[in-house]
Amino acid sequence: MGKMRTQSVRWRAVAVLASALLVGSVAACGNSDTGGGGGSTDDGKITMGFSQVGAESGWRTANTTSIKESAAAAGIELKFDDAQQKQENQIKAIRNYIQQKVDVIAFSPVVESGWDTVLKEAKDAGIPVILTDRSVDSADKTLYKTFLGSDFVKEGRLAGEWLVEQKKTASGPVNIVELQGNTGAAPANDRKKGFGEAIAANPNLKIIASQPGDFTRAGGKQVMEQFLKANPKIDVLFAHNDDMGLGALEAITAAGKVPGKDITIITVDAVKDGMQALADGKFNFIAECSPLLGPQLMDLAKKVHAGEEVPPRIETEETTFTQEQAKEALPNRKY
Ligand code: GZL
């Protein structure tokens, strides 16, 4: 091949290589934009980074469905992370969202404490944060725009008040065992508080054992087995959610006792499986905790993104159910 020809072949090779590198770098930049998702997407859509506690219960599953369906309906681009009930995974996800420059960060904090540093990072990056479902104990209320969720103390109180009414004629001690949610979680702390304050009205009502069951069926079953082995006389179970109550049913039945009769069972949430157990007479009372926070969350995200003022705390409407009320409500339950 002549020298000139070799030269031109070489130049062509350089040109091809250079253009490949150029395309590659644009693509890479494009990918990081897509992956990074800086701010609103190209078509002006709001981008939300959401960190979810996990998938530990029927309530959580329903909550995740509500958030994903509502984001799609609201035209909000949702980046979603399941933290598997680990705070370090939530902090990592929030940091990723900050790096990706999302428009809004929303999350359900698995525990109340330990958020100030990462929330300050979001604030310094100019990204507003919305708390949903569970809250944080940060003293600095400017670290988040608002909290959307339930009054867990009230849920515990309603459960306790129902029991006080049921046992007002009891002549002797009424032994209560308590299945708590995961240690440090706002619903665990607050439901315990509300329930304990309510039952103080009747000195016969005594909590003889109280342990975390982590809001899971497996946890509820395991801890209830221990309670039954250690306590010959258990009159009442208060479980911080339906799923732990449903797990406890297996342990109670295996111990030869009749749930709902030998042991009165009170839970919180009112998810479908819990309402079915209530209607079937295995549970005795449920305080509702609605997981359907998605629509309100997306409305709040749009308002916050637009710089509108929002209330510092927005509580969801909830009720309670007896066995008869569960039978009536079941056919229309959304979750
Ligand atoms: C309550 C929520 C709790 C539910 C549990 O808002 O955080 O976590 O009561 C869930 O079922 O696991």
Side-chain angles (χ1 to χ4, degrees):
M1 189 184 291
K3 193 173 177 217
M4 285 300 288
R5 182 151 169 67
T6 311
Q7 192 74 21
S8 69
V9 166
R10 200 172 285 142
W11 274 116
R12 259 210 304 280
V14 169
V16 166
L17 180 62
S19 56
L21 283 173
L22 179 64
V23 167
S25 63
V26 167
C29 172
N31 286 344
S32 72
D33 277 354
T34 313
S40 304
T41 54
D42 301 348
D43 53 8
K45 264 186 166 185
I46 293 174
T47 303
M48 173 188 283
F50 190 92
S51 168
Q52 179 61 293
V53 164
E56 74 283 356
S57 64
W59 190 98
R60 190 63 55 197
T61 305
N63 179 244
T64 292
T65 301
S66 175
I67 286 159
K68 288 182 173 176
E69 288 179 353
S70 301
I76 286 177
E77 183 184 335
L78 183 69
K79 294 175 185 291
F80 185 90
D81 178 82
D82 172 339
Q84 291 158 356
Q85 291 220 92
K86 292 186 175 65
Q87 180 173 30
E88 63 267 24
N89 290 345
Q90 291 199 287
I91 291 172
K92 205 182 298 174
I94 292 169
R95 285 194 168 125
N96 283 339
Y97 296 144
I98 293 169
Q99 270 184 352
Q100 295 168 22
K101 299 188 179 64
V102 299
D103 295 304
V104 183
I105 290 171
F107 76 115
S108 170
V110 61
V111 292
E112 286 190 282
S113 307
W115 301 99
D116 287 31
T117 302
V118 74
L119 290 179
K120 179 101 177 42
E121 290 167 20
K123 183 179 177 184
D124 292 346
I127 301 176
V129 173
I130 298 174
L131 301 182
T132 84
D133 168 29
R134 299 182 184 180
S135 193
V136 299
D137 61 8
S138 303
D140 182 355
K141 303 301 180 196
T142 67
L143 291 177
Y144 54 90
K145 289 295 180 187
T146 185
F147 163 79
L148 165 64
S150 305
D151 178 345
F152 301 132
V153 175
K154 180 181 173 188
E155 291 165 353
R157 191 179 67 247
L158 291 171
E161 288 170 351
W162 178 85
L163 185 62
V164 167
E165 181 57 28
Q166 294 302 309
K167 299 293 183 183
K168 63 186 176 190
T169 58
S171 52
V174 176
N175 291 342
I176 304 165
V177 293
E178 181 180 29
L179 288 169
Q180 300 173 31
N182 57 290
T183 303
N189 295 336
D190 291 354
R191 287 170 185 166
K192 180 171 183 54
K193 179 175 186 292
F195 183 78
E197 288 170 350
I199 64 169
N202 179 344
N204 281 331
L205 301 180
K206 291 191 185 323
I207 297 177
I208 59 170
S210 181
Q211 293 290 331
D214 288 346
F215 285 125
T216 64
R217 293 193 188 203
K221 179 182 178 192
Q222 190 182 359
V223 174
M224 192 67 202
E225 284 166 350
Q226 293 161 17
F227 285 163
L228 287 159
K229 283 196 187 88
N231 302 282
K233 182 182 180 289
I234 296 175
D235 303 300
V236 178
L237 163 64
F238 172 50
H240 290 181
N241 80 331
D242 292 343
D243 283 68
M244 291 190 292
L246 292 164
L249 286 184
E250 293 178 49
I252 292 168
T253 308
K257 295 179 184 291
V258 181
K261 291 189 172 32
D262 297 336
I263 296 180
T264 298
I265 299 179
I266 307 164
T267 67
V268 185
D269 277 351
V271 295
K272 195 156 280 183
D273 289 349
M275 291 288 274
Q276 190 60 61
L278 185 58
D280 295 345
K282 295 173 186 167
F283 284 1
N284 300 84
F285 186 78
I286 300 182
E288 185 183 35
C289 176
S290 174
L292 305 181
L293 303 175
Q296 286 173 286
L297 172 60
M298 298 310 153
D299 287 348
L300 282 167
K302 288 182 175 175
K303 287 190 170 84
V304 159
H305 180 60
E308 291 177 32
E309 280 301 307
V310 294
R313 183 176 174 89
I314 299 150
E315 286 183 0
T316 43
E317 292 295 313
E318 293 162 352
T319 183
T320 59
F321 295 96
T322 61
Q323 290 172 346
E324 284 316 305
Q325 288 164 339
K327 286 174 189 161
E328 285 160 33
L330 252 177
N332 307 316
R333 292 298 284 174
K334 290 189 196 138
Y335 61 91

